[in-house]
Amino acid sequence: MSGSRCVPAYDRRWGGLLNGGFLNQEIRRLAGMPCQRGSGRRGGEAAINVVKKMKMTQQPILATWSFIAQASQAAAIVPDGCRDIIIRMRNHEPVIMFATELDDTTRTVHVQTGDSFFGFRLQPGVGIRPELSCAMSSLATCPADAETIREFLIQPRDLAELLAAVQNARGTLEAAKSLGVSSRTLQRKLFDATGRSPSWWRRLARLRKSAKLIASAEIDQIELADLAFQHGYCDQPHMTREFQHWLGVSPHNLRKNGAVADALASTGYGDG
């Protein structure tokens, strides 16, 4: 994990929250809003989820969220262009705090009944200072708020503008022209800021836009061909290869894979 690494950190007070039944109250306090209950799509699996979006889109933190697993399950994590700083609380284990990386492909995580998570979701492309790894122990001991977390984030002034241009362009050259810079300058700025190229970000935005549409509607093979053209793919096989690369499923089978389809509902790059 570049720039940050997982550092276990804990405090006995967290164990008291877990064992004493006060965890829901603590999550509400951290998120600054009431808990909302919801149920998963498969087998009636229930979880407590809280998502609070930050008011200003230019802030480095996109949202705070929490999750309490009501059953042991596997969850799909799809590429979304965002990193998260997460506190995980598990019965009879130390609390850990860790930072995720940008995902290039879909992965699966396994949670246990009673696992509780509180997270800070970062804006697309926002980085994390290496100093966070050294501060994780104290931050988990005394749970941090958004203001504290912002001190460890890296958000170049023009990052949002660069990503917006790439998202809406048909290629790197078009995006660079809209920004009034050369293609090489755009490539250098984005790679220096995020570790990913403009083409990576453009492919991700295109993938998420088309996949969200397929996941939310019944689409037959003829419509898939039209959808591929509308989203800038060369043809339907090209779109299928991209789906297989990023999501591990074909467009045709996306709706059959409930875990991946559900994961696409989360906020990320290309949604705007």
Side-chain angles (χ1 to χ4, degrees):
M1 181 177 298
S2 62
S4 181
R5 58 188 177 86
C6 293
V7 177
Y10 67 94
D11 183 84
R12 294 186 184 277
R13 286 176 294 174
W14 280 114
L17 290 170
L18 287 167
N19 299 325
F22 297 107
L23 180 59
N24 293 353
Q25 178 180 349
E26 179 64 12
I27 283 180
R28 287 196 297 270
R29 182 187 70 77
L30 286 167
M33 66 180 296
C35 282
Q36 300 176 348
R37 291 182 178 269
S39 59
R41 291 175 56 178
R42 296 170 301 285
E45 295 171 350
I48 298 174
N49 299 280
V50 174
V51 177
K52 179 184 179 183
K53 292 186 178 180
M54 309 307 285
K55 293 181 179 180
M56 297 179 62
T57 58
Q58 295 305 311
Q59 292 294 323
I61 298 177
L62 176 63
T64 57
W65 57 267
S66 65
F67 171 79
I68 302 176
Q70 302 297 297
S72 296
Q73 57 187 286
I77 307 297
V78 301
D80 53 27
C82 300
R83 298 178 66 181
D84 291 86
I85 298 173
I86 302 172
I87 297 172
R88 191 203 72 186
M89 294 154 277
R90 174 175 289 173
N91 280 316
H92 311 302
E93 291 188 16
V95 172
I96 63 171
M97 184 178 191
F98 60 95
T100 65
E101 295 292 342
L102 290 178
D103 288 305
D104 297 307
T105 58
T106 295
R107 57 189 173 90
T108 301
V109 297
H110 298 272
V111 298
Q112 301 178 13
T113 303
D115 281 359
S116 303
F117 301 85
F118 182 81
F120 299 90
R121 163 145 291 210
L122 309 186
Q123 291 281 359
V126 169
I128 300 172
R129 298 185 185 281
E131 292 83 1
L132 178 63
S133 63
C134 299
M136 283 182 174
S137 178
S138 60
L139 290 176
T141 298
C142 186
D145 57 16
E147 289 299 327
T148 303
I149 292 298
R150 286 192 188 101
E151 298 177 7
F152 297 95
L153 303 181
I154 305 171
Q155 184 184 34
R157 184 174 56 184
D158 57 352
L159 177 61
E161 182 182 11
L162 298 177
L163 290 176
V166 170
Q167 172 183 327
N168 298 315
R170 288 174 294 181
T172 301
L173 180 59
E174 181 179 304
K177 286 183 177 179
S178 71
L179 292 166
V181 300
S182 67
S183 296
R184 180 173 296 182
T185 296
L186 175 58
Q187 290 171 352
R188 174 179 54 79
K189 285 189 171 184
L190 261 188
F191 191 84
D192 288 349
T194 69
R196 299 296 190 276
S197 67
S199 62
W200 186 92
W201 287 102
R202 182 172 58 84
R203 289 173 59 203
L204 175 61
R206 178 175 62 184
L207 179 281
R208 287 182 57 82
K209 289 177 181 177
S210 55
K212 279 175 171 281
L213 183 58
I214 293 174
S216 63
E218 294 290 347
I219 297 178
D220 59 28
Q221 287 297 312
I222 297 178
E223 291 172 325
L224 283 178
D226 293 337
L227 184 71
F229 176 77
Q230 293 168 6
H231 285 81
Y233 294 103
C234 296
D235 49 30
Q236 186 176 334
H238 179 207
M239 182 172 72
T240 298
R241 290 193 298 272
E242 286 289 276
F243 271 59
Q244 292 284 6
H245 169 79
W246 293 95
L247 302 177
V249 298
S250 68
H252 179 71
N253 291 325
L254 175 59
R255 287 183 57 83
K256 300 177 183 178
N257 191 315
V260 174
D262 286 348
L264 285 166
S266 64
T267 302
Y269 182 64
D271 294 346

